[in-house]
Amino acid sequence: MVIHMGQIRNKAKKMAMTATAAAVAAVLALGGCGSSSGTSGSGSSAASGGFVLGALMPLTGSLAYMSAAEVAAVQLAIDDINDAGGVNGADATFYQADTSDADHADQNTSAAEDVLSHNPSAIVGPASSAVVRNVYQEITEAHVPMTSMGSTSTSFSGLSDYFFRTVPPDTVQGTVLGNVIAQDGVQNLAIAAFNDEYGTGLRDQIAKTAGDQGVNIVYGADQAFDPTETNFSSIVTAIKASGADAIAIVAFDQTETLIRELITQGVDTTHLYLVDGNTSDYSNEFAAGALTGSKGTIPGAHASDEFQGRLQGVSSTQIDDFTYAAETYDAVILEALAAEKGKANDGETVQANMMAVSGSTGGEKCESYKDCKALLDGGKEIQYSGQCGIGPWNDDHDPSTASIGIYEYDGSNVPKFSTSEQGNV
């Protein structure tokens, strides 16, 4: 997640990673290549005339819990594209490689090199901001447009002419969560954030937004813990002594250990505020009711039941987490529409038409590849508004508007979608 982003949920998710990765590997094996999959077989390329999508996915590592939904979203998008006549008169194909996570930088780069060797028309992914940072330069210097479905780093706005994303930067999520905290009547807030760009960026935005509305930041405004931290005893002791009546936690897999220490020290964990890196199912981790009433935010649209059903229909494994599935699907559709509008499948043509198909130049709204393609065939300008409902890309290649989902934990420690807020970037 982002992601940035992209981000780790909890131990329960990680217990499922091996199974998820194995299931994904089985899908790939069926596709005929060790790390690739295509609807009409691998081996075609943009250079040979066809539209080839490169997909950089976290099939293993700490972000693997996301991969089932993201892989299914790519497959569903390719299916929908080909059912509508393909791209420029031929079926689209895709080739994917496993980036793992930011702790495996060598694999990040080898996956990018692997995908680039297939001469893709465009790339979807990676989801994680840290992984994007490790690979974007090689990809964009090759004049291949890439669209991240989950990297929310604020520093990525205007990163490259060839970099796009279907999620908003962290400033939007931080602002929404800060507003939620203030609206809930929190008076004294502690913030426990880990020390990386994602953690400190969200921390600062939450603190500013909540602070501007009268919330006292009693701990963590200028503090951050090491991402490798495993013992949170002293941190929790300091939070407890601060007199906080609510705690915002900006972290990944450190969250479970931190919450467990809060419980051990008798801190109320029903007034926690989480982010996309840790808003997840903790039903197997803590006693029932431990998180009841706590809230979290996840950038992007909440996948509809219909869309979830379609994704499950093309997946060989159970999908339990649909985070960034809509953003992945829309990224693929936008890239294919850009090739269709430009009447060529090379990366430079796709890049040159990405802004237009998002609606940045105006145009008629359309919600599917089929409908948008029909409008393009008729010589019309379009604005694709698909599953995630983002506004046209702005000059920094960020969505001009985007949704932030707000979730509330029930008595089983499961986050339930409550509402969403539209934010301007």
Side-chain angles (χ1 to χ4, degrees):
M1 117 346 201
V2 200
I3 351 249
H4 100 280
M5 172 288 86
Q7 296 11 352
I8 307 163
R9 302 291 177 183
N10 56 25
K11 187 175 179 181
K13 292 290 185 196
K14 292 196 283 184
M15 291 173 64
M17 286 178 188
T18 302
T20 300
V24 171
V27 172
L28 300 184
L30 290 173
C33 287
S35 62
S36 66
S37 175
T39 57
S40 59
S42 301
S44 50
S45 68
S48 63
F51 180 89
V52 179
L53 176 77
L56 292 174
M57 297 287 164
L59 305 182
T60 58
S62 58
L63 305 180
Y65 70 88
M66 289 185 179
S67 63
E70 291 174 353
V71 170
V74 171
Q75 183 66 67
L76 182 61
I78 293 292
D79 288 349
D80 287 348
I81 289 165
N82 291 339
D83 286 346
V87 181
N88 292 316
D91 277 357
T93 60
F94 75 94
Y95 183 94
Q96 74 183 13
D98 178 16
T99 58
S100 190
D101 54 33
D103 291 334
H104 298 83
D106 289 347
Q107 189 163 341
N108 299 168
T109 55
S110 64
E113 291 167 357
D114 187 14
V115 166
L116 285 172
S117 72
H118 287 75
N119 299 311
S121 307
I123 287 174
V124 59
S128 162
S129 293
V131 178
V132 168
R133 189 173 298 284
N134 288 338
V135 302
Y136 86 90
Q137 191 165 0
E138 182 174 10
I139 294 170
T140 57
E141 286 180 354
H143 289 183
V144 176
M146 60 188 295
T147 306
S148 175
M149 62 294 224
S151 62
T152 57
S153 170
T154 56
S155 67
F156 287 177
S157 296
L159 182 67
S160 165
D161 288 345
Y162 280 78
F163 177 79
F164 301 80
R165 52 182 168 184
T166 47
V167 291
D170 281 327
T171 48
V172 181
Q173 180 183 191
T175 298
V176 169
L177 186 55
N179 285 334
V180 170
I181 290 168
Q183 290 163 9
D184 284 350
V186 173
Q187 295 182 337
N188 299 309
L189 176 71
I191 305 176
F194 68 167
N195 191 20
D196 82 344
E197 184 177 5
Y198 170 76
T200 57
L202 268 172
R203 176 202 65 190
D204 293 347
Q205 192 64 38
I206 293 167
K208 181 182 186 304
T209 303
D212 286 347
Q213 297 176 68
V215 178
N216 299 313
I217 311 302
V218 295
Y219 175 87
D222 55 2
Q223 296 161 293
F225 61 83
D226 192 305
T228 63
E229 184 63 70
T230 58
N231 186 340
F232 290 93
S233 177
S234 62
I235 293 173
V236 170
T237 298
I239 290 174
K240 187 175 181 179
S242 73
D245 54 330
I247 305 166
I249 301 176
V250 186
F252 295 164
D253 59 347
Q254 307 91 347
T255 303
E256 181 198 334
T257 306
L258 175 53
I259 293 176
R260 196 171 298 283
E261 182 64 27
L262 288 168
I263 293 171
T264 297
Q265 294 198 29
V267 178
D268 184 359
T269 52
T270 63
H271 294 90
L272 303 181
Y273 292 89
L274 308 181
V275 292
D276 60 319
N278 52 17
T279 298
S280 194
D281 183 343
Y282 292 101
S283 58
N284 293 328
E285 304 307 309
F286 306 117
L291 303 181
T292 303
S294 288
K295 295 179 180 179
T297 51
I298 299 177
H302 178 66
S304 68
D305 290 344
E306 178 185 4
F307 184 56
Q308 289 185 25
R310 296 191 69 211
L311 290 169
Q312 194 63 70
V314 299
S315 177
S316 64
T317 186
Q318 176 66 33
I319 302 175
D320 296 316
D321 191 314
F322 291 89
T323 303
Y324 300 128
E327 288 71 23
T328 302
Y329 178 91
D330 283 354
V332 178
I333 298 296
L334 283 161
E335 289 173 338
L337 286 170
E340 184 74 21
K341 177 175 173 56
K343 303 187 185 307
N345 299 320
D346 61 281
E348 292 183 348
T349 297
V350 174
Q351 186 275 341
N353 289 279
M354 290 282 280
M355 295 287 285
V357 297
S358 79
S360 64
T361 58
E364 187 171 339
K365 283 191 175 182
C366 46
E367 298 180 355
S368 69
Y369 179 81
K370 180 180 179 180
D371 290 345
C372 291
K373 182 177 181 297
L375 291 172
L376 290 174
D377 288 343
K380 296 184 177 180
E381 293 294 311
I382 64 169
Q383 177 183 339
Y384 173 69
S385 57
Q387 295 296 324
C388 63
I390 60 173
W393 278 312
N394 62 23
D395 290 343
D396 287 330
H397 296 180
D398 291 331
S400 54
T401 60
S403 297
I404 304 292
I406 300 170
Y407 297 75
E408 184 167 345
Y409 279 85
D410 65 12
S412 300
N413 303 324
V414 176
K416 299 294 186 181
F417 177 72
S418 174
T419 186
S420 64
E421 289 193 15
Q422 192 80 0
N424 295 321
V425 178

